[in-house]
Amino acid sequence: MFYKKSGSVFWCLLDIVPIKNEKGDVVLFLASFKDITDTKAKCVLEEKKEECRREKVKGGSPFSSTRLRSSTVLYHISGHLHNRQKQSKIKLNKNVFGDPPALPEYKVADAEKSKFILLHFSTFKAGWDWLILLATFYVAVTVPYNVCFIGDQDLTRSTTVTDIAVEILFIIDIVFSFRTTYVSKSGQVIFDARQICIHYMTTWFIIDLVAALPFDLLYAFKVSVVSVVHLLKTVRLLRLLRLLQKMDRYSQHSTVVLTLLMSMFALLAHWMACIWYIIGKKEVESNADTWDIGWLHELGKRLESPYDEVSMEAVNRTLSSGPSLRSIYIAALYFTLSSLTSVGFGNVSANTDAEKIFSICTMLIGALMHALVFGNVTAIIQRMYSRWSSYHTRTKDLKDFIRVHHLPQSLKQRMLEYFQTTWSVNNGIDSNELLKDFPDELRSDIAMHLNKEILELSVFSSLSHGCLRSLSLHIKTSFCAPGEYLLRQGDALQALFFVCSGSMEVLKDSMVLAILGKGDLIGANMSVDDRVIKTNADVKALTYCDLQCINLRGLYEVLDLYPEYSHRFVQDITHDLTYNLREGQESYVRHHITIVILEFLVHLFVCGCLNP
């Protein structure tokens, strides 16, 4: 039973159906109302009997069948819309070329989450990701070195504690990954712990788990380590695939991308140096008696540390002869870097077939790295200086324009000075061109922020928030250099001008009528009917001036959309203008000064200071 405003009672059939989204959350309640007072009054006795009978049999209400039909229709509609939403999402998410587009981080997503869920775009998670990235680079350096240079030797390593600490970091990272949000393919930020676990288990969990296996605990417990364990640890290098995610996320930061690319180049040279040493070592092992032309022998001769006995033990430094392991690694790294960046210098050269084949592969890889790494470096550096290059290009175009059209020196100087000054103010950024691709809603918010100083004037206090948002889209930023005229007498007034900084003067017949400064509003009293306004004076800049301009055509369009504010605005602007430029009208400044003087004289007369 519902009540009307008059107080009368009527019977209403009410159905409330919850509408759920694809995650099962209720996002909408659909309510259906039906006035059944007439039906209720006609068959009240039959309904009471039917109600009693149904309560005994089924425990239902007299309107259960009607409600069931209505609910069924509503559920059918909600399910139909739900299926259509799913189909439209699937169609929109399919790329023309088959690959899904890169998903943004959605840092503005504001949703309720558990305090045990980490945001993937939070500051803590970003710092933790870089810590894991450094640990991954550490593993990428130490694992190949231990596999190639240490081998089966059970030597006491100074990095055992560091290796165990890295393994602990990897294990903690797995725990964090089970509680970190992600962006789904449909573009939603997922906060549900169960969905996060399923997503991580089906993507990176296996690789992270293998990379986090505590192989280095064998050293801590003095367990004999064989080369198989070292080779298993190379699986940790798969974590470098995460580096691709970092490069995609921080692709807009030139310095970060440049650092990562150079680090990858140095890491590749390190891996090649380890392989270069293994090749030399295997050549010595397979030709233990007559071997004297390998790069290790040549290095020993030049360092005056030749191998007294060519044997596997000599290479493994169980004997006192031969170069030190440190010298061997430095020479190997020097050879691979010189081969990757150029054709080598010959002081460390390939002598055997295996060494020459490896050198050929190194040169091919070096050519590919030149195209990949240094090509990206060139693009990054070019992007860093693109604005400076654009400035020089536009300056040259301006000078060519002046030269082709034979402009006088005074006009040339004014053009160059204006261009250079405006470029220094806005850095060559055209805000209108930059914001044109954004939706009107977002552009309005940006424009409200950029023009909040002028919109806080009292003349706009009577306008609604929606009216101000529409008006903000018609406000532009302008600039005026010293000696330049903003307006000439007799010109058609195109905009209202608000002085943000600098000073200007109003001239008429070479006479200064007013000095304008920061916070002054220049324009004319407006009329809804007479929209053509001619200026009655010149406005000239005395210093560099920043101005905000409200286009009159756009202002009239906004007032036409909001006619309830037109009359009030036309009245207020007459009193808020610092100087009225309408032709044929008395200047508001003069009028205001006259009124102030008269009020002062009246005050003195009332106080008895003056005679009548």
Side-chain angles (χ1 to χ4, degrees):
M1 296 177 63
F2 281 0
Y3 292 85
K4 298 181 180 180
K5 290 184 178 180
S6 60
S8 59
V9 182
F10 72 99
W11 285 89
C12 179
L13 180 63
L14 172 63
D15 285 290
I16 301 178
V17 181
I19 306 299
K20 299 182 179 180
N21 60 9
E22 64 274 7
K23 295 190 294 184
D25 299 331
V26 177
V27 296
L28 179 69
F29 286 97
L30 186 61
S32 172
F33 301 89
K34 184 179 180 181
D35 189 352
I36 56 172
T37 305
D38 297 337
T39 307
K40 181 73 175 177
K42 291 180 180 179
C43 53
V44 60
L45 297 177
E46 290 80 3
E47 288 175 355
K48 285 184 179 180
K49 295 180 181 180
E50 186 70 16
E51 181 181 1
C52 295
R53 187 182 66 82
R54 290 187 178 181
E55 284 180 354
K56 292 179 181 179
V57 179
K58 296 182 179 180
S61 64
F63 306 104
S64 59
S65 58
T66 308
R67 180 176 287 106
L68 180 60
R69 288 195 299 270
S70 177
S71 301
T72 304
V73 172
L74 293 176
Y75 274 115
H76 177 72
I77 294 174
S78 62
H80 180 64
L81 293 176
H82 179 65
N83 294 333
R84 288 183 59 185
Q85 290 175 357
K86 280 189 174 181
Q87 292 175 2
S88 62
K89 286 184 178 180
I90 293 175
K91 291 180 181 179
L92 290 175
N93 288 331
K94 286 186 177 180
N95 199 314
V96 177
F97 299 101
D99 297 329
L103 293 174
E105 296 183 10
Y106 291 100
K107 295 183 179 180
V108 296
D110 186 14
E112 297 182 359
K113 68 177 184 63
S114 171
K115 61 181 179 179
F116 299 106
I117 297 294
L118 294 175
L119 295 175
H120 64 281
F121 51 83
S122 62
T123 305
F124 171 78
K125 191 61 173 64
W128 177 261
D129 288 342
W130 280 105
L131 179 62
I132 294 298
L133 180 62
L134 293 177
T136 305
F137 268 110
Y138 172 80
V139 169
V141 172
T142 57
V143 168
Y145 181 85
N146 293 332
V147 171
C148 298
F149 284 88
I150 294 181
D152 297 338
Q153 300 179 58
D154 192 7
L155 302 176
T156 302
R157 296 185 303 160
S158 59
T159 60
T160 302
V161 177
T162 310
D163 294 339
I164 295 176
V166 169
E167 290 174 352
I168 294 174
L169 286 177
F170 286 165
I171 295 173
I172 297 175
D173 183 61
I174 293 177
V175 177
F176 284 169
S177 297
F178 276 111
R179 310 296 295 176
T180 304
T181 61
Y182 71 96
V183 180
S184 65
K185 293 181 178 180
S186 60
Q188 295 181 345
V189 180
I190 303 301
F191 295 90
D192 183 64
R194 182 174 178 272
Q195 296 185 43
I196 293 174
C197 292
I198 295 175
H199 176 263
Y200 181 58
M201 289 286 291
T202 56
T203 52
W204 293 99
F205 174 71
I206 301 300
I207 294 176
D208 291 348
L209 179 63
V210 174
L213 292 177
F215 295 112
D216 290 293
L217 291 178
L218 300 176
Y219 291 101
F221 293 104
K222 306 298 182 182
V223 178
S224 179
V225 179
V226 295
S227 58
V228 177
V229 176
H230 284 299
L231 293 176
L232 287 175
K233 290 172 63 176
T234 57
V235 181
R236 292 181 178 177
L237 301 181
L238 293 174
R239 284 192 68 99
L240 289 174
L241 296 175
R242 293 290 190 99
L243 184 62
L244 300 177
Q245 289 182 326
K246 296 291 183 296
M247 293 185 66
D248 180 67
R249 180 179 299 178
Y250 299 101
S251 59
Q252 68 272 24
H253 303 289
S254 301
T255 306
V256 175
V257 176
L258 183 61
T259 303
L260 291 177
L261 288 175
M262 296 306 297
S263 300
M264 289 300 298
F265 185 80
L267 188 61
L268 178 62
H270 169 73
W271 292 349
M272 302 294 285
C274 294
I275 299 174
W276 178 245
Y277 170 71
I278 286 293
I279 291 176
K281 176 181 175 181
K282 294 299 181 182
E283 293 283 2
V284 172
E285 292 177 3
S286 59
N287 302 278
D289 298 330
T290 60
W291 197 253
D292 59 352
I293 61 172
W295 77 271
L296 286 176
H297 278 280
E298 294 293 334
L299 179 65
K301 293 175 182 179
R302 293 181 181 180
L303 295 178
E304 297 181 356
S305 301
Y307 290 103
D308 296 336
E309 180 182 351
V310 180
S311 63
M312 182 178 178
E313 288 79 12
V315 177
N316 288 333
R317 298 177 64 240
T318 56
L319 300 179
S320 59
S321 60
S324 64
L325 202 61
R326 175 175 174 270
S327 299
I328 293 175
Y329 172 73
I330 293 175
L333 185 61
Y334 167 77
F335 170 76
T336 54
L337 276 174
S338 61
S339 299
L340 287 173
T341 57
S342 61
V343 294
F345 298 101
N347 46 5
V348 179
S349 58
N351 301 319
T352 66
D353 292 341
E355 293 173 356
K356 291 177 181 178
I357 292 173
F358 176 78
S359 299
I360 293 173
C361 296
T362 303
M363 293 175 188
L364 292 175
I365 295 175
L368 179 62
M369 293 302 293
H370 268 283
L372 177 63
V373 177
F374 294 104
N376 278 278
V377 170
T378 304
I380 290 172
I381 295 176
Q382 183 179 2
R383 187 165 65 245
M384 291 171 61
Y385 293 97
S386 61
R387 199 170 300 280
W388 185 251
S389 176
S390 177
Y391 170 77
H392 285 288
T393 302
R394 294 184 60 182
T395 303
K396 185 178 182 301
D397 293 341
L398 182 60
K399 291 180 178 180
D400 291 341
F401 173 82
I402 295 172
R403 178 179 52 82
V404 169
H405 295 279
H406 305 288
L407 297 181
Q409 182 65 27
S410 59
L411 197 56
K412 169 186 175 181
Q413 187 64 30
R414 289 170 59 189
M415 292 177 65
L416 291 175
E417 184 178 356
Y418 181 84
F419 171 74
Q420 294 170 358
T421 308
T422 52
W423 188 279
S424 63
V425 172
N426 55 30
N427 204 18
I429 300 174
D430 187 357
S431 58
N432 298 328
E433 185 70 20
L434 185 66
L435 300 177
K436 71 176 184 179
D437 295 329
F438 289 92
D440 291 341
E441 172 70 17
L442 184 55
R443 286 176 55 210
S444 299
D445 291 337
I446 298 172
M448 288 283 288
H449 173 75
L450 296 177
N451 306 307
K452 59 182 178 181
E453 188 174 0
I454 185 174
L455 294 177
E456 289 175 355
L457 294 176
S458 58
V459 67
F460 302 110
S461 59
S462 61
L463 304 184
S464 65
H465 185 71
C467 185
L468 291 177
R469 288 171 61 86
S470 300
L471 182 61
S472 64
L473 296 176
H474 299 282
I475 302 177
K476 309 299 179 186
T477 302
S478 182
F479 177 79
C480 200
E484 296 293 331
Y485 283 88
L486 178 66
L487 295 169
R488 294 276 190 175
Q489 183 177 355
D491 291 346
L493 187 65
Q494 302 292 336
L496 300 177
F497 298 93
F498 177 76
V499 183
C500 299
S501 64
S503 61
M504 313 185 81
E505 61 180 358
V506 181
L507 302 172
K508 188 172 184 179
D509 299 330
S510 300
M511 181 183 297
V512 178
L513 301 180
I515 300 295
L516 306 175
K518 180 180 179 180
D520 289 335
L521 184 64
I522 316 168
N525 57 316
M526 301 175 61
S527 174
V528 179
D529 300 325
D530 184 14
R531 298 190 176 187
V532 178
I533 303 174
K534 291 187 178 181
T535 58
N536 58 13
D538 299 333
V539 180
K540 182 180 179 181
L542 297 175
T543 62
Y544 291 107
C545 300
D546 291 327
L547 305 167
Q548 286 181 314
C549 314
I550 304 178
N551 185 270
L552 288 183
R553 181 179 298 177
L555 178 59
Y556 283 124
E557 291 178 0
V558 174
L559 294 179
D560 290 341
L561 291 175
Y562 296 88
E564 63 272 17
Y565 303 109
S566 300
H567 183 68
R568 178 68 180 274
F569 181 82
V570 169
Q571 289 181 340
D572 291 345
I573 194 172
T574 306
H575 304 287
D576 286 84
L577 284 174
T578 306
Y579 195 90
N580 193 339
L581 291 172
R582 180 182 283 273
E583 190 177 41
Q585 295 286 335
E586 183 181 3
S587 172
Y588 173 73
V589 175
R590 290 182 176 180
H591 180 65
H592 180 70
I593 293 175
T594 303
I595 291 176
V596 171
I597 294 175
L598 290 176
E599 288 179 351
F600 179 70
L601 294 176
V602 170
H603 176 73
L604 293 178
F605 173 74
V606 172
C607 294
C609 298
L610 293 177
N611 293 325

